[in-house]
Amino acid sequence: MSLRKIESEDKTYTISLVAHGFNSLARIVGLFSGRGFEIDSISFGDAEKPGYARVTITTHGDRRIIDQITLQLDKLVDVISVEDLTYVPHMERELALIKVKSTPGNQTEILQVINVFRGNVIDITPESLTIEVTGRNDKVDATISMLRRFGLMEVARTGTVALKREYQESIYSDIKTK
């Protein structure tokens, strides 16, 4: 695949940034809306240092648009660092709480679906089960899709959170040096 093809592809990107405090959220969202960029998901919470926030944004577009977004984010006063994690090794997770209709007749089947996706039942009533599922976006989507036929009552999703992997070496590097 040529570099020109990669630059023109419309794909999903994961951008991680650290900002001063929670007032920066309005500036970050304002930057996206003011320039017509779309946010697929945004997760915003305390960072490792008090007074700092870590933000994970998933968005889509071609490489030129993503470069423009990261440059504009880096210019914001409250933003300390910006990193496009899309092409570097990183970890991504999303949390979803899914409330599904249940009856004594279908609870076993629902529990089997939950087990396949390594979800957890966190609440149960005679009429419903509330499930927690954590994983990559596609795993959460697949879980919701499989539970849809039982009757979704409510779904709440966090959006993606992501961190860059620090260990970059191959597990085989020791073998080559011996």
Side-chain angles (χ1 to χ4, degrees), residues 1 6-7 13 34 45 50-51 54 71 76 79 85 88 91 105 116 119 127 129 133 141 145 149 171:
M1 185 180 299
I6 291 171
E7 288 176 353
Y13 291 85
R54 181 166 302 278
L71 286 171
L76 290 177
V79 173
L85 298 177
V88 297
M91 303 155 283
V116 167
E127 298 84 30
L129 290 171
V133 65
D141 288 344
S145 178
R149 65 189 167 116
I171 60 172

Side-chain angles (χ1 to χ4, degrees), residues 22-84:
F22 291 97
N23 292 334
S24 57
L25 179 60
R27 287 187 182 95
I28 293 166
V29 172
L31 181 143
F32 273 79
S33 64
R35 288 167 177 77
F37 301 141
E38 292 184 36
I39 296 174
D40 296 331
S41 77
I42 186 167
S43 179
F44 195 95
D46 289 334
E48 55 281 0
K49 288 184 178 180
Y52 287 67
R54 181 166 302 278
V55 185
T56 305
I57 301 168
T58 57
T59 187
H60 62 277
D62 62 27
R63 184 76 237 166
R64 185 185 56 76
I65 290 174
I66 302 308
D67 289 344
Q68 189 177 14
I69 289 171
T70 56
L71 286 171
Q72 294 295 322
L73 285 169
D74 203 32
K75 290 180 183 177
L76 290 177
V77 174
D78 292 333
V79 173
I80 296 162
S81 67
V82 178
E83 187 168 18
D84 179 358

Side-chain angles (χ1 to χ4, degrees), residues 74-131:
D74 203 32
K75 290 180 183 177
L76 290 177
V77 174
D78 292 333
V79 173
I80 296 162
S81 67
V82 178
E83 187 168 18
D84 179 358
L85 298 177
T86 308
Y87 297 109
V88 297
H90 67 281
M91 303 155 283
E92 285 185 19
R93 293 294 181 268
E94 182 177 351
L95 166 72
L97 300 179
I98 308 157
K99 190 181 294 183
V100 63
K101 292 178 186 174
S102 73
T103 64
N106 70 5
Q107 275 188 357
T108 303
E109 193 176 356
I110 293 170
L111 293 172
Q112 287 173 341
V113 170
I114 295 166
N115 188 45
V116 167
F117 291 102
R118 295 189 183 123
N120 298 307
V121 175
I122 59 171
D123 191 38
I124 187 168
T125 71
E127 298 84 30
S128 69
L129 290 171
T130 303
I131 298 113

